[in-house]
Amino acid sequence: MRKKKEKYNLIDALEILEKENEIPRAEMLEAIESALVTACKKNHDIDQNNKVVFNNQTGELQLFAQKQVVEESMNDNIEISLKDAKKINPQYEIGDICSIEIITKDFNRITAQTAKQVIMQKIRDSRKNSLYEKYKNYEKEIVTAVIQRIDYERKNVLLSINGLQAILPQNEQIAGERYNVNDRIKVYILEINKNSKGLQGLASRINIEFVIRLFEERIPEIHDGIVVIEAISREAGQRSKIALTSKDENVEVIGSCIGENGLKINDIIRELNGEKIDLIKYSSDSREFITSSLNPCKPIGIEVDEQLKTAKVVVNDEHLSLAIGKKGQNVRLAVKLTGYKIDIKSKTQALEEDYISEECYFTS
């Protein structure tokens, strides 16, 4: 009676596993059978093509060698003669696969050990998959994280997000930011990864999407789709340029993002550790858009080549450095924002070189 009960233990285990962990029974059996074949080869140096068969009624697992029926066997590990095969089953013919049960004294022990290992691994995988389903919605979103630990050697910041462990690597941190354990910070989740230890999120504070999600979170008009971010360029921790349009002519794009007394935009700037933000009204007119993109400088003339995607810009002499920006940052961000290669000259230079045609200058 004891032997029969042991056989039924596997059936009971599979049923419980299927109900509690939602792991299909067929999937479990396939994994156990495959693992058993490997385990038997390892423990008994069996070199045949093996197959494990499960009896759904008794719960018994049996190991069979799979041999091809041939006229005369040249390799007993993988072949069986027709004469010997017919002793097992008279219906066997040449070319058939003959199943021969392999009896080993410790097959039951190997079965129990293997089944337990496979089941435990399946449970771990199932829980990992369940957690992945729970946390995968964090991908490509902005979340609030708590700083758990700082790895000063690798300069990584280790985070906790509602139970999910995440890492903010050095190359995804805003330069100059200081982090303290237990601080709460906003991060953008690039991806959720599965590894041997479980799940781990990869976070960023420099990704352009981080700024976009901040605007969506803090500015109702953007969240509701009334104001749309058409383009953005960013040098994290220093400056961003954001081009905006409105789907409602009664909603002013810049004012809606700044808020009363600058409340909305200042809230975002604080979250970005003081990063400067230029809000620009987007225009489908490239000349007008490039002009706005060079804010805070106001060009006095622009000549655009739509085919080559280039623009020649003229500014007053005293505004040349402002237009280019510190270390070329202002014009560099304008190029990224508009998609046009922008060349800037002072008014004196432009007139000396006949840089742009007269009609390309703005009238005052």
Side-chain angles (χ1 to χ4, degrees):
M1 292 297 295
R2 184 180 177 187
K3 186 176 181 182
K4 186 175 182 180
K5 184 181 178 186
E6 285 176 351
K7 289 179 181 178
Y8 273 95
N9 279 343
L10 182 56
I11 294 178
D12 295 340
L14 292 175
E15 288 178 352
I16 293 170
L17 199 63
E18 190 168 37
K19 289 177 183 177
E20 294 184 355
N21 295 277
E22 299 182 352
I23 303 174
R25 179 171 168 169
E27 181 183 321
M28 283 299 310
L29 273 173
E30 184 180 350
I32 291 172
E33 289 168 1
S34 175
L36 266 175
V37 169
T38 302
C40 287
K41 283 184 177 181
K42 181 179 179 181
N43 282 272
H44 299 286
D45 196 26
I46 298 171
D47 195 30
Q48 296 105 329
N49 294 320
N50 300 323
K51 180 181 180 181
V52 171
V53 176
F54 178 74
N55 188 315
N56 278 295
Q57 299 300 318
T58 66
E60 184 179 13
L61 284 159
Q62 295 172 284
L63 179 65
F64 291 88
Q66 303 285 284
K67 298 186 179 184
Q68 187 173 25
V69 180
V70 295
E71 187 66 42
E72 292 293 336
S73 174
M74 303 297 291
N75 185 341
D76 291 341
N77 282 328
I78 60 174
E79 296 175 341
I80 183 171
S81 69
L82 179 61
K83 179 182 177 181
D84 290 339
K86 285 188 176 292
K87 291 178 182 179
I88 299 171
N89 188 332
Q91 295 184 351
Y92 277 130
E93 298 292 341
I94 291 176
D96 289 346
I97 299 299
C98 176
S99 295
I100 305 169
E101 185 174 6
I102 300 174
I103 307 296
T104 64
K105 61 182 180 179
D106 55 354
F107 182 66
N108 287 338
R109 176 184 61 80
I110 296 172
T111 299
Q113 289 178 344
T114 303
K116 180 180 179 181
Q117 291 169 358
V118 170
I119 288 170
M120 293 305 295
Q121 185 59 50
K122 280 290 181 181
I123 290 174
R124 286 192 291 269
D125 291 343
S126 175
R127 289 174 179 169
K128 189 185 295 185
N129 289 334
S130 295
L131 285 173
Y132 180 73
E133 289 300 314
K134 175 183 176 182
Y135 291 121
K136 72 176 182 179
N137 290 331
Y138 287 172
E139 280 189 336
K140 313 306 178 187
E141 295 294 339
I142 188 172
V143 297
T144 299
V146 177
I147 296 176
Q148 281 194 321
R149 186 165 63 87
I150 299 170
D151 183 343
Y152 291 103
E153 183 179 348
R154 295 182 177 86
K155 299 182 180 179
N156 296 332
V157 179
L158 305 179
L159 310 169
S160 175
I161 307 163
N162 295 330
L164 172 70
Q165 302 302 304
I167 182 171
L168 179 64
Q170 184 185 16
N171 63 347
E172 295 294 342
Q173 299 169 19
I174 295 175
E177 277 195 335
R178 293 183 178 275
Y179 304 103
N180 300 299
V181 174
N182 295 325
D183 278 358
R184 299 173 71 85
I185 61 170
K186 291 279 187 182
V187 294
Y188 176 74
I189 301 299
L190 296 168
E191 59 185 4
I192 306 294
N193 296 312
K194 295 180 185 179
N195 55 43
S196 58
K197 296 181 180 179
L199 298 180
Q200 186 179 68
L202 177 62
S204 174
R205 281 179 59 83
I206 68 168
N207 194 282
I208 281 179
E209 289 294 330
F210 179 55
V211 176
I212 292 174
R213 293 295 185 272
L214 272 179
F215 270 78
E216 291 173 346
E217 182 180 84
R218 307 294 173 87
I219 299 173
E221 292 85 352
I222 291 181
H223 179 272
D224 296 339
I226 299 169
V227 173
V228 178
I229 296 176
E230 295 287 353
I232 180 170
S233 60
R234 184 187 187 206
E235 293 189 358
Q238 299 180 48
R239 195 180 208 99
S240 287
K241 287 182 181 287
I242 302 175
L244 306 153
T245 54
S246 175
K247 292 184 177 180
D248 186 339
E249 60 182 16
N250 296 316
V251 175
E252 205 283 310
V253 290
I254 306 301
S256 63
C257 293
I258 292 176
E260 188 175 355
N261 298 320
L263 185 63
K264 293 179 183 178
I265 195 65
N266 286 333
D267 188 29
I268 294 173
I269 290 172
R270 277 193 296 272
E271 184 61 54
L272 295 174
N273 201 30
E275 184 174 315
K276 294 180 176 63
I277 298 176
D278 296 332
L279 299 176
I280 295 159
K281 191 172 182 179
Y282 175 80
S283 174
S284 57
D285 183 320
S286 56
R287 195 163 179 258
E288 187 177 323
F289 185 30
I290 293 167
T291 298
S292 300
S293 74
L294 290 167
N295 182 63
C297 179
K298 302 296 182 185
I300 60 173
I302 295 181
E303 186 174 280
V304 176
D305 187 320
E306 299 289 357
Q307 287 189 328
L308 295 177
K309 302 285 281 188
T310 60
K312 296 179 179 179
V313 176
V314 179
V315 298
N316 284 319
D317 290 22
E318 65 272 21
H319 293 157
L320 181 60
S321 60
L322 182 64
I324 294 172
K326 186 177 180 181
K327 296 182 180 179
Q329 185 184 73
N330 194 56
V331 70
R332 189 165 59 247
L333 287 172
V335 168
K336 292 178 183 178
L337 188 73
T338 63
Y340 281 76
K341 183 180 179 180
I342 301 172
D343 185 45
I344 304 176
K345 291 189 182 294
S346 67
K347 183 178 179 180
T348 299
Q349 288 176 307
L351 292 175
E352 287 175 354
E353 300 173 13
D354 196 20
Y355 184 55
I356 63 175
S357 57
E358 189 173 335
E359 63 267 21
C360 291
Y361 285 92
F362 298 117
T363 56
S364 55

